[in-house]
Amino acid sequence: LLKVIVYSYMCNVYSGRRMERLLHENVNYMWLSGMSRPDFRTINRFRSERLCDGRFEELFRRTVVMMNEEGLVSLKVQYIDGTKIESVANKYTFVWKGSVEKNKARLEAKVDAVLKAAESVLAEENGECRAEDPCVEDLPERTERILRKMDEQGISDRKLRRSVEKVKEESLPKLESYGRHLETMGGRNSYTKTDPDATFMRMKEDAMNNGQTKPGYNVQIATENQFITNYGIYWRPSDWGTMIPFLESFRERYGSHGNEANYAYMESNGIAAYVKYNMFHAETKRRYANNGFLVQNMHYNSGEDYYVCPMGQHLERCGTRHTVSDLGYRSEVAVYRAANCKGCPLRGMCYNGRADRRTLEVNHTANGFKRRARELLTGERGMMHRSNRPIEPEAVFGDIKFNHGFRRFRLKSNRKVMVEFGLVALAHNLRKYSAVLSGRMTGRNQLRAAL
């Protein structure tokens, strides 16, 4: 079955039903299966269950190690890029975090108002002051207690009793479902009910051209000589938030994108960071370099820790603030402020704020990482890597998506999608490996003919 499935992926056949039909029609499939003809259910069960136990990961690793032993890849260079591939999930079964939180807060307020009204009526019947409101987490117990007291005291207000019963029968189950939605989403902003691991993302393939989001996965790959050496599946739409776990997975497999957290991780692990940051290309433009009002172009006195604006005024350091990214990385930002910018003839060119003096926020650690990355990227070796970068992972993604038609996953859940793309990566490597071997054999035959 593994031979049949891998061969099918090499031949752009991704459907279990089509594999079943080819096992009856195609002599290559008959030979690979030893004339065994499993149905599509067996094929799909093997692909979605048997291959998800970790054995396929080891198989992929061994094929890459074999290519390393033959000199096709060195495993010392990683050209990393990501693409978004659509999930098989229904795109109209979306659940948005913002909507769930808003509706949950609104329903909790409504439930609390009903329960408070019931408690007020019970307190009046007893001639007591109403007790303090219990916390929101005790809503089921609070509702049961109110209904029990209404039975004991024989409250005759049917409308009020019906409202409390409606809270128990309808509102509390709805609040539980909202809680489950938020628990499923975790740190994400959305998910789909038919594939809870998929996240709604903006895709390049937008048939409506209206920026519609679709459920999908962010697929990251590392390539060398256009062989896929590592791959990963992530829910974050942006690539910069996936780099550290992706590099960790490469290290775990073989033992071995530009922001402060990624640079710090690579530096601490001895990895040469030929990674561009957001403003790398903008800094090479003449308009950027000649703008003396940008903090990057102002003179900085590191000894006394102050900046000098184009008018010669010092911006002294006045404080430090800390920021925490959504990944939990803590950064330190230095704050500098001018003494007074009133009456400055260059004020309109310097900044547009309403304050009477300019304020700068500088992350010296991040600037140091960017400076070292810029030195690497503009050096001879960096220029070589930059020229190779567009023809490495991007060419691989183009081959997989457009030449071999894999644009949508057929399995659900992150675990199964990981195996499915692993099959795609293995098929790509074997196709390329076969082409390399074919080229070697052709060269040998030409040499023999010449001799």
PDB file of all heavy atoms in Angstrom, residues 27 38 81 105 119 170 220 227 249 256 306 328 331 370 373 376 403 421:
ATOM      1  N   VAL A  27      -1.016  -1.586 -15.300  1.00  0.00           N
ATOM      2  CA  VAL A  27      -0.097  -2.688 -15.017  1.00  0.00           C
ATOM      3  C   VAL A  27       0.973  -2.291 -14.010  1.00  0.00           C
ATOM      4  O   VAL A  27       1.444  -3.130 -13.216  1.00  0.00           O
ATOM      5  CB  VAL A  27       0.550  -3.181 -16.331  1.00  0.00           C
ATOM      6  CG1 VAL A  27       1.479  -2.106 -16.918  1.00  0.00           C
ATOM      7  CG2 VAL A  27       1.317  -4.480 -16.109  1.00  0.00           C
ATOM      8  N   PRO A  38      -6.944  -3.665  -3.042  1.00  0.00           N
ATOM      9  CA  PRO A  38      -7.744  -3.116  -1.935  1.00  0.00           C
ATOM     10  C   PRO A  38      -8.684  -2.025  -2.427  1.00  0.00           C
ATOM     11  O   PRO A  38      -8.415  -1.362  -3.434  1.00  0.00           O
ATOM     12  CB  PRO A  38      -6.687  -2.549  -0.987  1.00  0.00           C
ATOM     13  CG  PRO A  38      -5.527  -2.243  -1.865  1.00  0.00           C
ATOM     14  CD  PRO A  38      -5.523  -3.289  -2.936  1.00  0.00           C
ATOM     15  N   ASP A  81      10.761  28.773   2.980  1.00  0.00           N
ATOM     16  CA  ASP A  81       9.644  29.596   2.524  1.00  0.00           C
ATOM     17  C   ASP A  81       8.353  28.869   2.882  1.00  0.00           C
ATOM     18  O   ASP A  81       8.364  27.682   3.230  1.00  0.00           O
ATOM     19  CB  ASP A  81       9.716  29.831   1.020  1.00  0.00           C
ATOM     20  CG  ASP A  81       8.828  30.998   0.589  1.00  0.00           C
ATOM     21  OD1 ASP A  81       8.328  31.715   1.474  1.00  0.00           O
ATOM     22  OD2 ASP A  81       8.626  31.184  -0.632  1.00  0.00           O
ATOM     23  N   ALA A 105     -20.202  37.427  25.857  1.00  0.00           N
ATOM     24  CA  ALA A 105     -20.336  38.514  26.838  1.00  0.00           C
ATOM     25  C   ALA A 105     -21.775  39.034  26.875  1.00  0.00           C
ATOM     26  O   ALA A 105     -22.325  39.326  27.950  1.00  0.00           O
ATOM     27  CB  ALA A 105     -19.369  39.638  26.498  1.00  0.00           C
ATOM     28  N   GLU A 119     -33.440  36.747  41.992  1.00  0.00           N
ATOM     29  CA  GLU A 119     -32.902  36.830  43.357  1.00  0.00           C
ATOM     30  C   GLU A 119     -33.529  38.005  44.121  1.00  0.00           C
ATOM     31  O   GLU A 119     -33.751  37.920  45.342  1.00  0.00           O
ATOM     32  CB  GLU A 119     -31.384  36.968  43.318  1.00  0.00           C
ATOM     33  CG  GLU A 119     -30.672  35.675  42.911  1.00  0.00           C
ATOM     34  CD  GLU A 119     -29.192  35.866  42.650  1.00  0.00           C
ATOM     35  OE1 GLU A 119     -28.768  37.033  42.441  1.00  0.00           O
ATOM     36  OE2 GLU A 119     -28.468  34.859  42.633  1.00  0.00           O
ATOM     37  N   GLU A 170     -31.636  26.802  27.655  1.00  0.00           N
ATOM     38  CA  GLU A 170     -31.104  27.331  26.404  1.00  0.00           C
ATOM     39  C   GLU A 170     -29.807  28.128  26.580  1.00  0.00           C
ATOM     40  O   GLU A 170     -28.824  27.875  25.885  1.00  0.00           O
ATOM     41  CB  GLU A 170     -32.157  28.215  25.719  1.00  0.00           C
ATOM     42  CG  GLU A 170     -33.442  27.482  25.368  1.00  0.00           C
ATOM     43  CD  GLU A 170     -34.464  28.396  24.717  1.00  0.00           C
ATOM     44  OE1 GLU A 170     -34.093  29.551  24.382  1.00  0.00           O
ATOM     45  OE2 GLU A 170     -35.630  27.978  24.558  1.00  0.00           O
ATOM     46  N   GLN A 220       5.333  25.159   5.558  1.00  0.00           N
ATOM     47  CA  GLN A 220       6.711  25.636   5.503  1.00  0.00           C
ATOM     48  C   GLN A 220       7.611  24.502   5.013  1.00  0.00           C
ATOM     49  O   GLN A 220       7.463  23.353   5.435  1.00  0.00           O
ATOM     50  CB  GLN A 220       7.176  26.080   6.893  1.00  0.00           C
ATOM     51  CG  GLN A 220       6.410  27.256   7.460  1.00  0.00           C
ATOM     52  CD  GLN A 220       6.795  28.566   6.812  1.00  0.00           C
ATOM     53  OE1 GLN A 220       7.972  28.870   6.645  1.00  0.00           O
ATOM     54  NE2 GLN A 220       5.792  29.363   6.447  1.00  0.00           N
ATOM     55  N   PHE A 227      15.635  19.957  -3.491  1.00  0.00           N
ATOM     56  CA  PHE A 227      15.131  18.814  -2.749  1.00  0.00           C
ATOM     57  C   PHE A 227      14.515  19.336  -1.455  1.00  0.00           C
ATOM     58  O   PHE A 227      15.088  20.209  -0.798  1.00  0.00           O
ATOM     59  CB  PHE A 227      16.249  17.828  -2.416  1.00  0.00           C
ATOM     60  CG  PHE A 227      16.734  17.012  -3.586  1.00  0.00           C
ATOM     61  CD1 PHE A 227      17.891  17.357  -4.260  1.00  0.00           C
ATOM     62  CD2 PHE A 227      16.026  15.898  -3.997  1.00  0.00           C
ATOM     63  CE1 PHE A 227      18.339  16.609  -5.334  1.00  0.00           C
ATOM     64  CE2 PHE A 227      16.464  15.135  -5.071  1.00  0.00           C
ATOM     65  CZ  PHE A 227      17.629  15.486  -5.749  1.00  0.00           C
ATOM     66  N   SER A 249      12.355  21.656  14.423  1.00  0.00           N
ATOM     67  CA  SER A 249      12.006  20.377  13.808  1.00  0.00           C
ATOM     68  C   SER A 249      13.125  19.874  12.896  1.00  0.00           C
ATOM     69  O   SER A 249      13.374  18.667  12.819  1.00  0.00           O
ATOM     70  CB  SER A 249      10.701  20.519  13.007  1.00  0.00           C
ATOM     71  OG  SER A 249      10.883  21.344  11.866  1.00  0.00           O
ATOM     72  N   SER A 256      21.325  18.310  13.889  1.00  0.00           N
ATOM     73  CA  SER A 256      22.295  19.319  13.613  1.00  0.00           C
ATOM     74  C   SER A 256      22.435  20.281  14.775  1.00  0.00           C
ATOM     75  O   SER A 256      23.498  20.286  15.319  1.00  0.00           O
ATOM     76  CB  SER A 256      21.920  20.131  12.422  1.00  0.00           C
ATOM     77  OG  SER A 256      21.042  21.080  12.469  1.00  0.00           O
ATOM     78  N   TYR A 306      22.493  59.290  23.361  1.00  0.00           N
ATOM     79  CA  TYR A 306      21.514  60.257  22.859  1.00  0.00           C
ATOM     80  C   TYR A 306      21.606  60.311  21.335  1.00  0.00           C
ATOM     81  O   TYR A 306      22.616  59.934  20.733  1.00  0.00           O
ATOM     82  CB  TYR A 306      21.730  61.650  23.461  1.00  0.00           C
ATOM     83  CG  TYR A 306      23.036  62.319  23.085  1.00  0.00           C
ATOM     84  CD1 TYR A 306      23.175  63.011  21.873  1.00  0.00           C
ATOM     85  CD2 TYR A 306      24.131  62.294  23.953  1.00  0.00           C
ATOM     86  CE1 TYR A 306      24.363  63.635  21.531  1.00  0.00           C
ATOM     87  CE2 TYR A 306      25.323  62.911  23.614  1.00  0.00           C
ATOM     88  CZ  TYR A 306      25.440  63.574  22.398  1.00  0.00           C
ATOM     89  OH  TYR A 306      26.620  64.177  22.047  1.00  0.00           O
ATOM     90  N   GLY A 328       5.135  35.485  22.904  1.00  0.00           N
ATOM     91  CA  GLY A 328       5.688  35.502  24.250  1.00  0.00           C
ATOM     92  C   GLY A 328       7.100  36.034  24.348  1.00  0.00           C
ATOM     93  O   GLY A 328       7.695  35.994  25.432  1.00  0.00           O
ATOM     94  N   SER A 331      10.710  42.113  24.538  1.00  0.00           N
ATOM     95  CA  SER A 331      11.674  43.039  23.950  1.00  0.00           C
ATOM     96  C   SER A 331      11.797  44.279  24.817  1.00  0.00           C
ATOM     97  O   SER A 331      10.847  44.674  25.507  1.00  0.00           O
ATOM     98  CB  SER A 331      11.246  43.443  22.536  1.00  0.00           C
ATOM     99  OG  SER A 331      11.145  42.321  21.689  1.00  0.00           O
ATOM    100  N   LYS A 370      19.751  43.245  13.060  1.00  0.00           N
ATOM    101  CA  LYS A 370      19.552  43.665  11.671  1.00  0.00           C
ATOM    102  C   LYS A 370      20.859  44.110  11.028  1.00  0.00           C
ATOM    103  O   LYS A 370      21.102  43.839   9.853  1.00  0.00           O
ATOM    104  CB  LYS A 370      18.534  44.811  11.620  1.00  0.00           C
ATOM    105  CG  LYS A 370      17.120  44.389  11.975  1.00  0.00           C
ATOM    106  CD  LYS A 370      16.178  45.577  11.960  1.00  0.00           C
ATOM    107  CE  LYS A 370      14.769  45.170  12.345  1.00  0.00           C
ATOM    108  NZ  LYS A 370      13.839  46.332  12.357  1.00  0.00           N
ATOM    109  N   ALA A 373      22.732  41.006  10.166  1.00  0.00           N
ATOM    110  CA  ALA A 373      22.081  40.342   9.030  1.00  0.00           C
ATOM    111  C   ALA A 373      22.347  41.093   7.735  1.00  0.00           C
ATOM    112  O   ALA A 373      22.579  40.481   6.683  1.00  0.00           O
ATOM    113  CB  ALA A 373      20.573  40.238   9.288  1.00  0.00           C
ATOM    114  N   LEU A 376      25.762  40.254   6.479  1.00  0.00           N
ATOM    115  CA  LEU A 376      25.791  38.928   5.865  1.00  0.00           C
ATOM    116  C   LEU A 376      25.136  38.939   4.490  1.00  0.00           C
ATOM    117  O   LEU A 376      25.671  38.373   3.524  1.00  0.00           O
ATOM    118  CB  LEU A 376      25.077  37.912   6.768  1.00  0.00           C
ATOM    119  CG  LEU A 376      25.781  37.502   8.061  1.00  0.00           C
ATOM    120  CD1 LEU A 376      24.860  36.631   8.905  1.00  0.00           C
ATOM    121  CD2 LEU A 376      27.068  36.738   7.751  1.00  0.00           C
ATOM    122  N   ASN A 403       2.464  22.306 -11.643  1.00  0.00           N
ATOM    123  CA  ASN A 403       2.821  21.193 -12.526  1.00  0.00           C
ATOM    124  C   ASN A 403       2.173  19.884 -12.103  1.00  0.00           C
ATOM    125  O   ASN A 403       1.880  19.042 -12.950  1.00  0.00           O
ATOM    126  CB  ASN A 403       4.342  21.017 -12.578  1.00  0.00           C
ATOM    127  CG  ASN A 403       5.040  22.202 -13.213  1.00  0.00           C
ATOM    128  OD1 ASN A 403       4.407  22.991 -13.921  1.00  0.00           O
ATOM    129  ND2 ASN A 403       6.320  22.365 -12.949  1.00  0.00           N
ATOM    130  N   PHE A 421       1.098  16.022   3.296  1.00  0.00           N
ATOM    131  CA  PHE A 421       2.114  16.833   2.631  1.00  0.00           C
ATOM    132  C   PHE A 421       3.457  16.118   2.639  1.00  0.00           C
ATOM    133  O   PHE A 421       4.271  16.321   1.737  1.00  0.00           O
ATOM    134  CB  PHE A 421       2.255  18.209   3.270  1.00  0.00           C
ATOM    135  CG  PHE A 421       3.135  19.121   2.457  1.00  0.00           C
ATOM    136  CD1 PHE A 421       2.627  19.769   1.350  1.00  0.00           C
ATOM    137  CD2 PHE A 421       4.473  19.290   2.768  1.00  0.00           C
ATOM    138  CE1 PHE A 421       3.438  20.581   0.563  1.00  0.00           C
ATOM    139  CE2 PHE A 421       5.288  20.097   1.997  1.00  0.00           C
ATOM    140  CZ  PHE A 421       4.766  20.749   0.884  1.00  0.00           C
TER     141      PHE A 421
END
